[in-house]
C-alpha cells in the first residue's frame, strides 16, 4: 500500500498545530485528528510519520499515540459480555438518537500496519516512542495472533536471535 504523501504532509501539519498555544490553530487541528479513525489509510500515515526520524520528536510521539489509540479502539468491534456491540468510545449519538457506530479499520489498513509495525519498533531509537509502538503491537496481537499475524513471533525471534547488538535484541524482548 502506497502512502499519499500529500495527505501525510497535511496530517503532519495537523499534529504540529495540535501543540499550538493559539486555540484558533489548535482546536481545528485537534478536531481533524479526532476524525482520523474514520479516514482510510490514517494508520499507515501515522506509522509513516512515527518512523520518520527527521520529523520533530513531539510530532512523532503524537503520531505514535494516535496510532496506538486508533488500533486499540478500531481494530475489532467491541462487544459486551453478552455479545452485544458496544457504542463508540465517544458515546455520540446520531440525529435520530441511535448510538454512533464505532469506526473499524479496513483489512487493508490492518495488513499494512502488521507488515510494518515490528520493523518500525525495532529500528526506533527513542524509548518512549518504542514503548508506544510495543503497546500497539500488544493491542493488535491480542486479537490477531496467531491466526491473522502468524509471522509475529518468527519476526521477533529473528530480531532477537540474529542481532549482535544486545540493545537491539533487548528492544525486541521488551516489546
Amino acid at each position: 500500500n502506497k502512502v499519499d504523501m500529500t495527505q501525510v504532509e497535511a496530517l503532519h501539519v495537523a499534529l504540529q498545530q495540535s501543540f499550538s498555544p493559539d486555540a484558533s490553530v489548535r482546536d481545528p487541528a485537534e478536531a481533524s485528528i479526532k476524525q482520523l479513525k474514520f479516514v482510510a489509510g490514517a494508520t499507515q500515515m501515522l506509522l509513516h510519520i512515527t518512523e520518520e526520524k527527521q520529523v520533530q520528536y513531539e510530532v512523532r510521539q503524537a503520531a505514535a499515540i494516535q496510532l496506538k489509540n486508533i488500533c486499540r479502539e478500531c481494530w475489532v468491534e467491541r462487544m459486551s459480555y453478552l455479545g452485544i456491540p458496544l457504542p463508540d468510545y465517544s458515546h455520540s449519538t446520531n440525529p435520530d438518537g441511535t448510538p454512533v457506530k464505532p469506526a473499524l479499520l479496513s483489512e487493508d489498513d490492518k495488513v499494512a500496519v502488521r507488515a510494518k509495525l515490528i520493523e518500525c519498533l525495532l529500528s526506533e531509537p527513542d524509548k518512549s516512542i518504542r514503548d508506544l509502538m510495543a503497546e500497539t503491537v500488544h493491542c493488535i496481537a491480542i486479537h490477531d495472533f496467531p491466526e491473522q499475524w502468524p509471522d509475529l513471533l518468527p519476526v521477533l525471534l529473528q530480531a532477537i536471535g540474529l542481532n549482535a547488538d544486545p540493545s537491539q535484541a533487548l528492544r525486541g524482548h521488551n516489546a
Side-chain angles (χ1 to χ4, degrees):
N1 284 348
K2 191 82 178 102
V3 178
D4 178 342
M5 291 312 291
T6 310
Q7 285 187 309
V8 169
E9 190 52 44
L11 177 53
H12 179 258
V13 169
L15 289 165
Q16 270 182 323
Q17 290 175 340
S18 73
F19 294 103
S20 174
D22 179 350
S24 68
V25 172
R26 184 182 63 248
D27 293 349
E30 288 176 349
S32 70
I33 290 167
K34 277 194 175 101
Q35 292 304 307
L36 282 175
K37 63 185 174 185
F38 299 105
V39 176
T43 51
Q44 296 171 60
M45 293 187 288
L46 287 164
L47 196 53
H48 185 83
I49 291 169
T50 301
E51 75 170 326
E52 204 51 63
K53 307 298 186 279
Q54 297 86 347
V55 171
Q56 181 186 353
Y57 170 76
E58 291 79 8
V59 172
R60 292 179 59 228
Q61 188 175 40
I65 290 167
Q66 291 305 319
L67 177 67
K68 173 188 65 102
N69 292 344
I70 290 172
C71 288
R72 187 177 59 216
E73 276 184 49
C74 307
W75 202 264
V76 295
E77 189 170 26
R78 297 168 52 242
M79 297 291 204
S80 74
Y81 292 113
L82 301 173
I84 300 164
L86 293 171
D88 185 58
Y89 273 96
S90 67
H91 301 290
S92 307
T93 53
N94 293 311
D96 66 1
T98 58
V100 169
K101 193 160 174 47
L104 286 175
L105 294 177
S106 71
E107 204 49 45
D108 284 352
D109 281 341
K110 290 179 179 184
V111 167
V113 169
R114 283 190 300 253
K116 194 128 179 71
L117 187 58
I118 299 298
E119 174 195 330
C120 292
L121 168 69
L122 294 172
S123 66
E124 177 54 53
D126 180 81
K127 183 181 180 337
S128 73
I129 293 176
R130 209 168 48 239
D131 288 349
L132 287 163
M133 284 197 244
E135 275 187 67
T136 306
V137 168
H138 178 252
C139 293
I140 297 168
I142 287 170
H143 302 292
D144 286 11
F145 181 77
E147 290 82 8
Q148 290 91 7
W149 207 359
D151 59 339
L152 172 62
L153 264 180
V155 168
L156 286 174
L157 291 171
Q158 180 182 17
I160 292 166
L162 291 183
N163 209 311
D165 177 355
S167 72
Q168 287 289 106
L170 198 54
R171 244 179 229 175
H173 175 267
N174 289 342

